[in-house]
Amino acid sequence: MPVLVAVRDLLFRSRIHAAAERLGIDVRLLPRGTPLSEAARALGGGTVIADLSEPGALDEIRAAKAGGGVRVVGFLGHLEVDLARAAAAAGADEVLSRGELSRRLDDVLRAAADAPAPGG
């Protein structure tokens, strides 16, 4: 199952894409302006890696989780404690700091590629 990447930061998108390509993992970069929940439904589930600091990210996570079959790995700045709590409450399955995601990117991508869809 492909990993959907909902990240606007071009450098971080490139880093994730390069790591996935090196690992042989199919990633789909979410086109700018495309709602995360719609893209997740179109893929039929799987894992989404999402930047939680993007406007509307929590609403999109709720909508994606309500549709079922999607696992969300969200990331944020390490000082955004309230946002981390809100993301968990919105349904994010895993919340990492940007630095933690950077350090563990290969492992996160492998786990995302290997994970069965929730409820599946």
Side-chain angles (χ1 to χ4, degrees):
M1 177 121 330
V3 178
L4 183 63
V5 178
V7 177
R8 287 190 186 175
D9 179 304
L10 292 178
L11 292 175
F12 211 58
R13 278 171 69 106
S14 296
R15 184 174 184 177
I16 293 169
H17 186 264
E21 196 169 73
R22 180 174 37 78
L23 295 169
I25 294 171
D26 183 15
V27 296
R28 309 283 168 88
L29 301 174
L30 184 70
R32 192 174 192 98
T34 303
L36 180 150
S37 56
E38 284 181 22
R41 263 193 305 278
L43 280 179
T47 298
V48 175
I49 297 176
D51 185 344
L52 298 172
S53 63
E54 287 295 327
L58 298 182
D59 290 335
E60 284 299 316
I61 289 170
R62 283 185 201 93
K65 295 299 281 190
V70 67
R71 180 174 177 271
V72 177
V73 177
F75 68 93
L76 40 60
H78 72 279
L79 296 177
E80 296 180 283
V81 177
D82 291 338
L83 181 56
R85 284 190 200 108
D93 297 284
E94 190 172 0
V95 178
L96 306 170
S97 70
R98 180 180 288 267
E100 188 175 10
L101 178 59
S102 290
R103 284 187 301 278
R104 296 184 39 219
L105 184 56
D106 286 5
D107 292 335
V108 169
L109 287 169
R110 282 187 197 106
D114 293 341

